[in-house]
Amino acid sequence: MSYFIASISNAGGAPEQAYRKMQEAATSDKPLAEIFKFEVPSLTVGTLDSLMTISDDLVKTDAIVEGIVRKVEKTGAELLGKKAGELTVGGVPAPRYIQQFAWDYAKYPNRRPLKELTSLIAGGVTAIDEELKQLSQSFGDKSVALQDAQRKKGGNLLIGDLNDLLTEDIMRSVKVHDTEYLKTVFVACPKTMAENFEKEIYSIGDNIAGYGGPDWSRDPSKLGEPVKFGSLVDRQKNRGSPVVPGSLQKVHQDNDSCLYTVTILKSQYEAGYYEGDDFKAGTSISFETEFAKSLREKRFVLREFVYDPTQATKASNALEQLQVEVDGMRSGLMRWTKTHFGEAFVAWMHIKVIRVFVESVLRYGLPVDFTAVLYKVAAFKESELTSALDKKLSKAKEGDSAVVDTGDEEDYHDFVLLKFEA
């Protein structure tokens, strides 16, 4: 819904005369808008320089505060859905608040310096914005955690919680190794790729494990003779997959996926060595991370999993708890938006009023003597109303242009005019 706030100088006459003039401008030819009296309190004027400075600052402040109002409104609309109309300002719909606007003298004392008053209003809205960011972040994180838990609960063998999907009967037939040298890992793949997986598994990651060093099983003739050792042995001379031959076992399948176990070499030890008199200790290189990467390249998934028959119950309880927490946070955020939308909107309208006051004083001079009105613009009549106001309220002489293009986003008018949507 479009609104205009306009003000003209009383020129020493009665405010009622100015009001009638602005009323006729919007209704003389055809009704273009509803008109409402708009209260602008007597604020502290200060100096001309301070008014010009605050005039520029108010444009920026107005845009910032409006942005925060829109964010709170959007959050409320997303949470309330069809009940978004419950977002009110002081218990009344926003349009009614605008049309019946009255300055809040208790909250925003009108005798404070304009810069101080503007900072007071903007500071309150900035605090609302910071609180909204924190609440939205917390709610978003908790919602993502819930979605992830729900996805795992109802997912297939590729993404679901394996403790939910695998029963004790299934696991009883699975042999799992976890020794100093060997580890059994669980690998899931799409059901359509199961045949390829079974063919390729022993060659996956064929550049991970090093098999260098003396091979007496192939050439026992030098068995017992001195050989190179430690850092003098090239343990990476021959490379291959860490998968233990013959270790593949099919564990389970569903409509979309299959789950297997394979046993892999756990790691490889790189021997220590001396640098002069300093000994550099050897290191152990784990194969599991690189093996998982090689599986992903072929669209297979290494599932990190340790079977725990009690985990299914724990996961179910955790999911219920997450749902309770998300519902509670949603209700709290809904209540928060209902309260703080009104606060932010009230602040925004007070910034509008200060803008009208400052622009009017700069335009019409001292003493302060102007009348302001609010136009509730009829649908799609914004351009017509602007033209009608320029025609009726302009000081331009006949034959002159009533509007001067200043190169800004809005044209110059012979009167103060602020436009906004609410």
Side-chain angles (χ1 to χ4, degrees), residues 54-103:
I54 201 169
S55 174
D56 294 335
D57 293 341
L58 279 168
V59 175
K60 300 173 185 176
T61 302
D62 190 352
I64 292 170
V65 173
E66 180 183 2
I68 295 170
V69 170
R70 302 301 183 200
K71 281 198 284 186
V72 177
E73 183 179 33
K74 181 181 178 183
T75 302
E78 290 172 351
L79 294 170
L80 294 167
K82 294 181 179 179
K83 295 182 178 180
E86 294 181 8
L87 290 176
T88 60
V89 184
V92 300
R96 187 187 301 177
Y97 170 79
I98 296 171
Q99 293 156 202
Q100 299 174 349
F101 175 80
W103 184 272

Side-chain angles (χ1 to χ4, degrees), residues 309-353:
T310 66
Q311 193 62 38
T313 302
K314 293 178 182 177
S316 180
N317 292 339
L319 179 59
E320 291 179 7
Q321 181 61 31
L322 272 173
Q323 185 67 63
V324 169
E325 291 176 5
V326 168
D327 290 344
M329 294 178 75
R330 179 183 288 109
S331 297
L333 190 53
M334 285 167 60
R335 290 192 298 271
W336 186 94
T337 54
K338 287 180 182 180
T339 300
H340 290 80
F341 171 74
E343 289 186 20
F345 200 95
V346 166
W348 183 37
M349 287 306 301
H350 281 71
I351 290 292
K352 292 284 187 194
V353 172

Side-chain angles (χ1 to χ4, degrees), residues 105-158:
Y105 291 90
K107 192 171 185 179
Y108 306 120
N110 63 308
R111 302 319 299 168
R112 285 195 177 188
L114 287 177
K115 186 174 182 180
E116 183 181 324
L117 187 58
T118 302
S119 297
L120 172 66
I121 298 172
V125 181
T126 301
I128 290 174
D129 187 38
E130 289 300 320
E131 192 173 354
L132 176 61
K133 289 177 182 177
Q134 294 174 9
L135 291 172
S136 297
Q137 181 68 44
S138 298
F139 177 67
D141 291 345
K142 192 67 70 174
S143 296
V144 169
L146 175 61
Q147 292 170 5
D148 188 50
Q150 291 172 333
R151 180 175 61 87
K152 289 181 178 178
K153 182 73 175 177
N156 57 25
L157 294 166
L158 288 163

Side-chain angles (χ1 to χ4, degrees), residues 173-416:
S173 62
V174 178
K175 190 169 184 179
V176 176
H177 300 278
D178 192 1
T179 68
E180 184 179 356
Y181 302 107
L182 300 176
K183 182 175 182 179
T184 299
V185 295
F186 289 76
V187 182
C189 70
K191 197 170 185 178
T192 54
M193 301 179 67
E195 185 177 348
N196 288 340
F197 174 78
E198 293 176 7
K199 289 179 181 178
E200 297 177 7
I201 183 59
Y202 295 111
S203 61
I204 293 176
D206 56 6
N207 65 336
I208 294 176
Y211 296 100
D215 186 357
W216 289 312
S217 63
R218 295 185 181 181
D219 184 11
S221 62
K222 295 183 180 181
L223 184 61
E225 293 184 8
V227 295
K228 294 179 179 180
F229 59 91
S231 61
L232 301 177
V233 177
D234 182 7
R235 295 183 179 273
Q236 308 299 326
K237 181 177 180 181
N238 300 311
R239 305 184 72 81
S241 172
V243 179
V244 175
S247 64
L248 178 66
Q249 180 183 1
K250 189 171 185 178
V251 178
H252 190 50
Q253 70 176 32
D254 56 26
N255 293 333
D256 305 312
S257 53
C258 297
L259 183 71
Y260 298 86
T261 60
V262 290
T263 300
I264 63 171
L265 297 175
K266 206 169 197 177
S267 60
Q268 182 168 351
Y269 181 75
E270 291 287 348
Y273 59 94
Y274 277 95
E275 279 190 1
D277 293 333
D278 295 329
F279 178 73
K280 303 295 183 181
T283 57
S284 182
I285 303 172
S286 175
F287 290 149
E288 187 172 350
T289 301
E290 286 299 317
F291 184 59
K293 182 179 178 181
S294 297
L295 288 169
R296 283 197 302 272
E297 291 172 353
K298 294 183 174 291
R299 296 178 60 197
F300 307 137
V301 181
L302 189 146
R303 302 298 313 274
E304 294 186 8
F305 170 64
V306 177
Y307 180 63
D308 181 355
T310 66
Q311 193 62 38
T313 302
K314 293 178 182 177
S316 180
N317 292 339
L319 179 59
E320 291 179 7
Q321 181 61 31
L322 272 173
Q323 185 67 63
V324 169
E325 291 176 5
V326 168
D327 290 344
M329 294 178 75
R330 179 183 288 109
S331 297
L333 190 53
M334 285 167 60
R335 290 192 298 271
W336 186 94
T337 54
K338 287 180 182 180
T339 300
H340 290 80
F341 171 74
E343 289 186 20
F345 200 95
V346 166
W348 183 37
M349 287 306 301
H350 281 71
I351 290 292
K352 292 284 187 194
V353 172
I354 296 174
R355 281 190 68 188
V356 172
F357 178 83
V358 171
E359 296 299 330
S360 297
V361 173
L362 288 173
R363 182 70 62 90
Y364 310 129
L366 294 173
V368 177
D369 185 30
F370 65 89
T371 297
V373 299
L374 173 77
Y375 294 107
K376 180 183 176 183
V377 187
F380 310 112
K381 298 296 183 181
E382 291 85 359
S383 297
E384 289 185 53
L385 178 59
T386 302
S387 299
L389 294 177
D390 280 323
K391 182 178 179 182
K392 298 291 185 178
L393 306 180
S394 173
K395 298 176 182 177
K397 297 178 181 179
E398 188 175 351
D400 291 343
S401 173
V403 181
V404 179
D405 189 354
T406 62
D408 297 328
E409 290 184 6
E410 294 188 6
D411 294 333
Y412 175 83
H413 305 276
D414 281 337
F415 52 93
V416 173

